[in-house]
Amino acid sequence: MNLAIFASGNGSNFAALVKAVKEKKIKIKFVVLVSDQPEAFVVKRAQKARITVILVKREDFASRADFEAAIIQRLKNYKIDLIALAGFMRMLSPGFVKLYHKRIINIHPALLPAFKGAHAIRDALDAKVNFTGVTVHFVDNQMDHGPVILQKQIKIKRLDSLSSLEKRIHALEHELYPQAIKLFLDGKVKRLKG
Ligand code: GRF
């Protein structure tokens, strides 16, 4: 099984997945990072770990279709079985999602369908809900949407600040994403029609 991780930022989930592969917690033969942000810390993490990096900058292409075609072209060399989005800050087009049908997953720092979007942890805290959590789901054509693979909740404590809550959410993500990928690889997750 070959895994492509798409990430645009810090890359702590990327690092957690690479660690799980190295420790053989998930049976992946090959990992490649796809990033649209050459300066992102995730790229440095990948270089340090000697992971192949595919850098594709959106501004180098006239359209999203051309940008995605460049990614697809470069991924073809690696026979990718699963794409894991980990803080990739772009929506993939329906054409791209169709090409990798049932093989693109995403992690989101809230209990979807609650708190979609880029500020999910802050939004949950501001909403004063008692629980939030992490979701790993298949990607479809809507943002932060698609069949759920794994979800785990955590309690928001009365004295939680944004940073204390972020810390716990990220720790949970690093635990849950490898688990979800393992379920997928073990054939324990099946997407039915739709
Ligand atoms: C994570 O919170 C993930 O759930 C969201 O983007 C963030 C990426 O963090 N989709 P990192 O770059 O993996 O540290």
Side-chain angles (χ1 to χ4, degrees), residues 94-141:
F96 190 100
V97 172
K98 198 168 168 202
L99 187 66
Y100 286 95
H101 186 49
K102 299 182 184 175
R103 287 183 293 149
I104 312 179
I105 62 175
N106 181 42
I107 186 157
H108 184 75
L111 293 175
L112 291 174
F115 306 114
K116 295 177 181 176
H119 307 290
I121 305 176
R122 191 176 69 203
D123 292 346
L125 191 66
D126 289 350
K128 301 196 187 314
V129 290
N130 289 322
F131 292 93
T132 184
V134 171
T135 304
V136 180
H137 65 97
F138 284 105
V139 168
D140 65 11
N141 295 328

Side-chain angles (χ1 to χ4, degrees), residues 9-69:
N10 172 33
S12 68
N13 282 285
F14 167 82
L17 291 177
V18 168
K19 185 164 177 269
V21 171
K22 287 204 167 135
E23 291 173 355
K24 300 195 184 334
K25 288 187 178 149
I26 45 179
K27 290 192 190 97
I28 295 284
K29 258 203 255 150
F30 175 80
V31 181
V32 59
L33 170 71
V34 175
S35 186
D36 58 333
Q37 300 292 331
E39 302 305 325
F41 190 53
V42 68
V43 174
K44 296 194 176 58
R45 289 186 196 260
Q47 286 164 341
K48 202 169 163 207
R50 299 184 182 282
I51 304 262
T52 304
V53 180
I54 296 178
L55 273 177
V56 190
K57 281 160 71 183
R58 173 65 183 86
E59 53 272 34
D60 288 345
F61 300 90
S63 65
R64 178 167 77 168
D66 291 348
F67 166 71
E68 290 186 349

